[in-house]
């Protein structure tokens, strides 16, 4: 494959074809340096050498009635995780301040569950209002399925962006979840867009899907015109139906990231959950296609610290896209 030509076409706005996407994912390892170089060319056109850090807060953990097969927070999973109801608005504000102090551009409040209850939405809204008035940080929320009314309430509270991942293709969705549908997820993304919020929606690779499934979901996200795409890699947890599934190799993960960069040339591509255990020593190379990282861990698992991430970014000759650090809070 001519990756230089693919990069040029991506930059011109061409949508990479299904067969081309599958061929890219099946390319031999020897093709990887050229693929990464071409993906970097596309990344650099919009994002230069900048890397943004995002921090997640698992503001409500476990006890979810849904049956997403990869998720340790489902009540069907017997995983050994902490389970707790919604944290208070004050705790969310403290976490946002600490995220900012560690160099994060964006702070994302995540709750487990099919959707958000009215009283939970009130508490999250109260937290967001306080964060936006006290902390110079972008705020994202990931609160499960949302209708237009709830999305508007978040917009009114000052939320910048809402995350709701498609996770996999329409065709494969029923294999990983039976309690809600792919269409439910698409409807949430559209409600968020209709409310005037920025959208984040990503994928989880490594659940037994085919190359074609990954290409299909990349194309679906392109059609939806989302602003940000977290590319997660399965870190299979004991006690979940996907326990023991370890199909990903570091170089395959890099090809997945390149696919998303070519498919979504101007979209934020975040090297997301499971990057440490799946990319392993090849993690720095993920910065060629990807332009952002989660730091300080994920919802129920740990991850690379801010200091380690900063060192990795600097070693690669990239720049951390930091907002000014606040004076310590003495109140
Ligand atoms: S809806 Fe969210 S919290 Fe619940 S099982 Fe699915 S991914 Fe996990």
């Amino acid at each position: 494959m001519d990756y230089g030509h693919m990069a040029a076409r991506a930059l011109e706005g061409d949508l990479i074809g299904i067969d081309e996407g599958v061929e890219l994912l099946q390319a031999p390892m020897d093709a990887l340096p050229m693929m990464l170089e071409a993906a970097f060319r596309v990344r650099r056109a919009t994002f230069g050498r900048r890397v943004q850090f995002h921090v997640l807060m698992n503001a409500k953990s476990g006890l979810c009635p849904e049956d997403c097969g990869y998720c340790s927070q489902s009540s069907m999973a017997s995983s050994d995780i902490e389970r707790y109801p919604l944290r208070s608005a004050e705790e969310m504000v403290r976490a946002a301040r600490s995220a900012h102090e560690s160099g994060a551009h964006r702070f994302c409040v995540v709750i487990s569950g099919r959707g958000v209850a009215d009283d939970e939405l009130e508490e999250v809204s109260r937290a967001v209002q306080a964060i936006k008035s006290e902390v110079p940080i972008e705020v994202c929320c990931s609160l499960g399925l949302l209708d237009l009314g709830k999305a508007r309430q978040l917009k009114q509270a000052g939320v910048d962006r809402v995350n709701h991942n498609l996770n996999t293709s329409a065709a494969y969705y029923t294999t990983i979840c039976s309690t809600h549908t792919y269409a439910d997820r698409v409807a949430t993304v559209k409600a968020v867009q209709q409310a005037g919020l920025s959208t984040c929606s990503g994928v989880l690779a490594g659940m037994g899907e085919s190359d074609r499934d990954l290409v299909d979901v990349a194309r679906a996200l392109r059609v939806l015109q989302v602003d940000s795409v977290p590319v997660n890699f399965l870190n299979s947890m004991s006690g979940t139906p996907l326990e023991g599934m370890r199909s990903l190799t570091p170089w395959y993960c890099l090809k997945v990231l390149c696919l998303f960069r070519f498919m979504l040339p101007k979209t934020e591509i975040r090297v997301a959950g499971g990057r440490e255990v799946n990319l392993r020593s090849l993690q720095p190379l993920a910065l060629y296609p990807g332009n952002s990282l989660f730091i300080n861990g994920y919802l129920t698992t740990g991850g690379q610290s801010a200091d380690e991430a900063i060192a990795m970014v600097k070693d690669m000759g990239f720049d951390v896209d930091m907002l000014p650090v606040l004076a310590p809070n003495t109140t």
Side-chain angles (χ1 to χ4, degrees), residues 40-316:
F40 177 56
R41 219 179 308 158
V42 180
R43 176 237 214 259
R44 195 176 48 193
T46 301
F47 301 101
R49 302 179 77 86
R50 298 186 305 279
V51 181
Q52 267 192 15
F53 290 163
H54 295 202
V55 166
L56 294 165
M57 177 190 190
N58 197 7
K60 175 186 169 190
S61 179
L63 313 165
C64 176
E66 303 297 291
D67 70 351
C68 308
Y70 53 86
C71 182
S72 58
Q73 301 196 72
S74 164
S75 47
M76 326 285 166
S78 59
S79 310
D80 181 18
I81 59 161
E82 232 191 313
R83 294 177 173 82
Y84 47 84
L86 189 69
R87 300 290 198 210
S88 68
E90 289 68 29
E91 287 170 293
M92 294 181 221
V93 176
R94 274 201 298 277
R97 186 176 288 279
S98 145
H100 172 60
E101 286 167 359
S102 65
H105 213 99
R106 190 175 293 273
F107 173 69
C108 186
V109 176
V110 187
I111 69 165
S112 60
R114 180 182 172 88
V116 59
D118 289 344
D119 58 336
E120 293 172 334
L121 191 59
E122 286 299 327
E123 190 71 1
V124 171
S125 300
R126 202 163 70 79
V128 173
Q129 281 163 359
I131 293 167
K132 292 304 287 184
S133 66
E134 294 171 28
V135 189
I137 198 163
E138 299 280 306
V139 178
C140 180
C141 287
S142 186
L143 310 178
L145 299 172
L146 291 171
D147 59 21
L148 182 56
K150 286 183 172 171
R152 283 191 171 135
Q153 197 173 327
L154 290 171
K155 171 80 179 164
Q156 230 169 12
V159 169
D160 298 291
R161 178 179 283 176
V162 170
N163 162 268
H164 196 63
N165 295 330
L166 294 188
N167 284 323
T168 192
S169 70
Y172 198 64
Y173 204 84
T174 52
T175 311
I176 59 155
C177 178
S178 70
T179 48
H180 60 264
T181 65
Y182 178 88
D184 290 332
R185 290 195 169 245
V186 171
T188 291
V189 174
K190 288 185 173 170
V192 168
Q193 281 171 330
Q194 215 184 324
L197 286 151
S198 171
T199 45
C200 171
S201 182
V203 296
L204 175 54
M207 297 191 289
E209 73 285 340
S210 65
D211 294 330
R212 169 70 194 263
D213 289 314
L214 284 172
V215 173
D216 283 348
V217 67
R219 286 170 66 93
L221 291 166
R222 162 79 173 246
V223 170
L224 278 169
Q225 297 186 309
V226 298
D227 303 297
S228 166
V229 173
V231 178
N232 298 281
F233 303 102
L234 182 70
N235 179 6
S236 81
M237 299 279 289
S238 62
T240 65
L242 297 189
E243 175 177 357
M245 188 170 277
R246 305 227 188 287
S247 60
L248 298 172
T249 58
W251 52 92
Y252 184 79
C253 296
L254 290 173
K255 289 193 284 186
V256 172
L257 289 163
C258 289
L259 170 77
F260 278 81
R261 176 51 70 209
F262 289 128
M263 285 276 187
L264 297 137
K266 295 186 174 164
T267 304
E268 277 183 31
I269 303 287
R270 185 155 37 271
V271 194
R275 70 178 166 94
E276 294 87 347
V277 294
N278 286 290
L279 281 154
R280 301 195 286 277
S281 59
L282 299 195
Q283 271 196 88
L285 299 180
L287 297 176
Y288 287 132
N291 67 288
S292 79
L293 300 170
F294 282 122
I295 56 167
N296 294 338
Y298 306 96
L299 302 179
T300 60
T301 55
Q304 192 178 44
S305 70
D307 287 347
E308 289 166 337
I310 290 168
M312 179 175 85
V313 168
K314 287 188 175 163
D315 286 349
M316 285 291 287

